[in-house]
């Protein structure tokens, strides 16, 4: 199982924000329609074996990196 997209309605300093967690797919959420569109990324190039997926969450201090992890662990732990 792979988490490819995360939509955060409101959690701490994150409000109505989507996070694409896989470069294999292009994801877009339309909040007005409550609709998620997922398409294969035709430009995707993998350098690792098929069973390995590397994703990084980067940003400045206070941008919400820790909040994303807290939310994931709270929901799925």
């Amino acid at each position: 199982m792979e988490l490819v997209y995360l939509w955060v309605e409101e959690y701490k300093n994150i409000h109505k924000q989507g996070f694409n967690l896989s470069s294999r797919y292009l994801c877009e959420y339309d909040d007005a329609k409550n609709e998620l569109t997922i398409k294969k990324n035709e430009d995707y190039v993998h350098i690792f074996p098929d069973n390995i997926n590397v994703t990084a969450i980067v940003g400045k201090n206070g941008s919400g990196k820790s909040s994303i992890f807290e939310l994931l662990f709270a929901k799925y732990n």
Side-chain angles (χ1 to χ4, degrees), residues 4-74:
V4 297
Y5 187 79
L6 174 67
W7 173 260
V8 180
E9 188 69 27
E10 189 165 332
Y11 183 77
K12 292 190 175 185
N13 63 331
I14 304 171
H15 307 281
K16 295 189 181 246
Q17 180 69 48
F19 299 93
N20 191 4
L21 301 174
S22 175
S23 55
R24 292 179 185 168
Y25 302 98
L26 301 173
C27 304
E28 188 174 313
Y29 179 69
D30 185 337
D31 190 29
K33 294 181 182 178
N34 194 28
E35 182 177 277
L36 177 63
T37 305
I38 302 174
K39 297 179 184 175
K40 268 195 146 174
N41 183 357
E42 300 299 330
D43 296 327
Y44 173 72
V45 176
H46 60 277
I47 58 174
F48 298 107
D50 288 338
N51 62 341
I52 296 177
N53 183 15
V54 177
T55 301
I57 298 175
V58 296
K60 293 181 179 181
N61 289 344
S63 62
K65 297 179 303 291
S66 296
S67 295
I68 293 170
F69 286 112
E70 288 173 8
L71 177 64
L72 286 173
F73 286 119

